[in-house]
Amino acid sequence: MTEKQYPQLKEHILTEVLDNGLKVVLIPKNDYHKTFAVMTTPFGALDTRFQINDELPIDIPAGTAHFLEHKLFEKEHSDAFTRFGELGADANAFTNAYQTSYLFSTTQNLKPALEHLLDFVQNPYFSDQTIVKEQGIIGQEIQMYEDDANWAVYMGLLQLMYPNAPLAEDIAGTKASIAQITPALLYNIHRAFYQPKQMTLQLVGHFDPKSVLAIIQENQDKKTFENVTVQRFESTIAPPIKQAVVKKFDVSRPKIALGIRLPESGLTGQEATKFILVADILSDILFGEQTDWYQNLYNKGIIDTEFETSFDLLRRYQFVSFFSETTEYDKLTDAIEKQIANYRTVLAGQMTSFESLRRATLGEGIQRLNSLESIALRGDDVLFGTNLFDKIMLLKNLTYNDILDGAEKIYQNAQLQRFVLQK
């Protein structure tokens, strides 16, 4: 095992890549009673087309990654959740744009729970009958999201910024798209993206690293995996068609989302994570609730405490977004546009504000070190190979010049798009 030390944080990480390609990441925390384990594939909603070896390319309908996540728990004669419950472990899973993860936490029976995680993820069972059943269940879930105003305004903004792109598709898909899912499709996706060399198994908590690695190694040695070559095909990202859209929806007050679509950054590794940290602090300096800009709009009733900003960098997509619930959305749009136009003036002399925000963000990061789940999931491991410890060290070394440089990249040629839900 290779070891990476973080002396300032008094933390260390052990990493081993097994002969079959499975990456194992171990973070022992023996002052805890609990252990948290998560098994992840870098396959998510953004993946829409792939090829195995020299076989014909395969198209992936929207919602398939999420659908497969659900179905993987169901076996021919059992359910994976039931076994975790028998072992006293809490299990869950999630799918996002770029990953699918399966996880459990436990204070007992670590060995059988870990073996069960490996076994149910690596041994799929899909049938026509179970897929039809799941299509009905997820169809109801899709309807629930379609009726949710907050989700509708978020997806509306994505569709405005990235028309017909995978990012603008609901992670759950549509009723029409999931109707195209077949057992053969799911088996091929599992064959491609769930092979050991595509996956990472991470454990954080109370365990002996050598003993845990031996359990994993023994489990994998009993299995045979097909060694395949997988090629992903990137979707075309078309330019925006419209600058503004208003949609009718049953809301008591209009909901508004504004976005700035940025060019592909090409950033990878710690540079990408650093840029996200810069963008988040920059948003707080310009639009945070401690600013005169925010307080002025709040006192005038143009925004309330629901106003928020965010920055996302997801593979080839990067964008800034603003969300609010207000009848004065023209005034809010105007205020955001003016703040963006004057970003250089606003940022002049804000070093004290930057340092205060940097320290606060750093404190939040250090606080997360008390959570095993945060250590495992709050990093950018899948996207950029940076963990929570890396993020904290990047925050420690962030400078005000980093903020000023980031502002030029984000706001210099910013064009605002707007999506509104109203009655």
Side-chain angles (χ1 to χ4, degrees):
M1 286 186 284
T2 60
E3 182 177 17
K4 184 174 182 180
Q5 293 278 355
Y6 296 86
Q8 292 186 49
L9 302 176
K10 298 180 181 178
E11 300 283 0
H12 70 285
I13 294 178
L14 301 167
T15 305
E16 180 74 27
V17 179
L18 305 188
D19 290 342
N20 65 11
L22 178 65
K23 183 179 180 181
V24 180
V25 179
L26 304 176
I27 307 175
K29 305 270 290 182
N30 289 325
D31 48 344
Y32 285 71
H33 295 293
K34 183 182 289 186
T35 297
F36 183 89
V38 55
M39 195 167 185
T40 296
T41 173
F43 172 74
L46 293 181
D47 296 296
T48 58
R49 186 176 170 87
F50 71 103
Q51 183 177 22
I52 299 175
N53 300 329
D54 58 355
E55 299 171 14
L56 290 174
I58 297 173
D59 292 314
I60 306 171
T64 302
H66 171 258
F67 194 100
L68 194 156
E69 171 222 311
H70 278 228
K71 292 316 302 165
L72 207 51
F73 280 92
E74 187 175 352
K75 306 305 178 187
E76 187 173 9
H77 302 296
S78 63
D79 181 276
F81 276 118
T82 301
R83 179 56 178 157
F84 277 120
E86 293 169 352
L87 295 170
D90 293 322
N92 211 334
F94 67 87
T95 303
N96 61 29
Y98 52 86
Q99 77 183 82
T100 308
S101 293
Y102 304 85
L103 51 97
F104 74 84
S105 62
T106 188
T107 58
Q108 58 184 315
N109 298 317
L110 176 59
K111 182 177 185 293
L114 182 55
E115 291 172 332
H116 180 53
L117 175 67
L118 287 161
D119 290 343
F120 98 79
V121 170
Q122 292 181 327
N123 294 292
Y125 172 77
F126 309 120
S127 71
D128 290 322
Q129 183 179 359
T130 58
I131 283 177
V132 169
K133 174 185 173 184
E134 193 67 30
Q135 285 165 339
I137 294 170
I138 294 183
Q140 293 176 346
E141 182 181 333
I142 291 168
Q143 186 62 54
M144 181 182 68
Y145 278 117
E146 289 176 349
D147 294 337
D148 183 273
N150 290 323
W151 187 248
V153 76
Y154 174 68
M155 293 306 300
L157 178 64
L158 292 182
Q159 289 157 9
L160 189 62
M161 291 192 294
Y162 297 99
N164 302 314
L167 184 68
E169 297 275 5
D170 194 311
I171 288 173
T174 65
K175 292 180 181 179
S177 68
I178 64 171
Q180 302 172 47
I181 295 173
T182 65
L185 173 65
L186 297 184
Y187 277 120
N188 273 320
I189 290 172
H190 192 279
R191 182 178 158 220
F193 297 104
Y194 282 72
Q195 57 180 302
K197 66 183 179 183
Q198 292 271 9
M199 303 200 75
T200 298
L201 173 61
Q202 182 173 180
L203 280 85
V204 187
H206 187 88
F207 58 84
D208 174 66
K210 290 184 178 178
S211 299
V212 161
L213 187 60
I215 293 168
I216 299 167
Q217 185 71 69
E218 181 182 3
N219 177 278
Q220 295 299 280
D221 285 345
K222 295 175 183 176
K223 299 172 182 176
T224 301
F225 300 95
E226 180 186 8
N227 186 19
V228 300
T229 301
V230 180
Q231 179 183 357
R232 279 183 169 97
F233 296 97
E234 296 284 2
S235 298
T236 300
I237 301 179
I241 300 170
K242 301 177 181 178
Q243 286 301 112
V245 168
V246 178
K247 182 179 178 180
K248 296 289 185 182
F249 206 89
D250 186 18
V251 288
S252 56
R253 285 203 302 165
K255 288 186 178 290
I256 176 174
L258 299 110
I260 302 169
R261 170 175 159 169
L262 300 169
E264 293 182 40
S265 71
L267 293 174
T268 59
Q270 292 201 7
E271 284 301 309
T273 295
K274 179 181 176 180
F275 192 69
I276 295 171
L277 296 171
V278 165
D280 287 341
I281 292 178
L282 182 57
S283 288
D284 281 337
I285 294 174
L286 293 174
F287 305 103
E289 62 183 46
Q290 83 290 345
T291 63
D292 292 341
W293 180 90
Y294 181 101
Q295 292 300 323
N296 180 47
L297 295 177
Y298 182 84
N299 291 332
K300 291 179 178 178
I302 295 174
I303 60 173
D304 57 20
T305 55
E306 296 297 308
F307 176 79
E308 60 177 332
T309 69
S310 67
F311 174 80
D312 290 276
L313 176 53
L314 306 169
R315 293 189 185 171
R316 299 161 62 207
Y317 304 86
Q318 63 167 343
F319 55 95
V320 181
S321 49
F322 307 83
F323 299 95
S324 188
E325 186 175 302
T326 178
T327 57
E328 305 282 358
Y329 53 77
D330 284 332
K331 291 180 180 179
L332 175 57
T333 303
D334 184 58
I336 292 173
E337 286 179 335
K338 287 180 178 177
Q339 190 78 337
I340 290 171
N342 296 324
Y343 72 90
R344 288 179 183 142
T345 303
V346 176
L347 289 173
Q350 291 282 354
M351 187 174 292
T352 301
S353 177
F354 156 71
E355 189 57 31
S356 175
L357 288 166
R358 187 190 69 84
R359 289 179 180 273
T361 308
L362 184 59
E364 291 171 4
I366 291 173
Q367 186 68 30
R368 288 192 181 114
L369 296 181
N370 295 321
S371 164
L372 303 181
E373 184 171 352
S374 290
I375 292 173
L377 298 178
R378 282 285 189 164
D380 295 327
D381 305 73
V382 177
L383 279 173
F384 309 122
T386 49
N387 56 52
L388 182 58
F389 306 147
D390 295 322
K391 292 179 78 169
I392 291 172
M393 297 310 299
L394 286 167
L395 266 172
K396 278 180 173 284
N397 297 319
L398 215 57
T399 69
Y400 191 54
N401 281 335
D402 292 326
I403 301 298
L404 296 178
D405 291 343
E408 294 300 315
K409 293 173 182 174
I410 295 173
Y411 294 112
Q412 186 175 19
N413 299 304
Q415 291 192 347
L416 207 59
Q417 294 176 265
R418 186 176 78 182
F419 183 84
V420 177
L421 289 183
Q422 66 178 20
K423 278 192 174 180

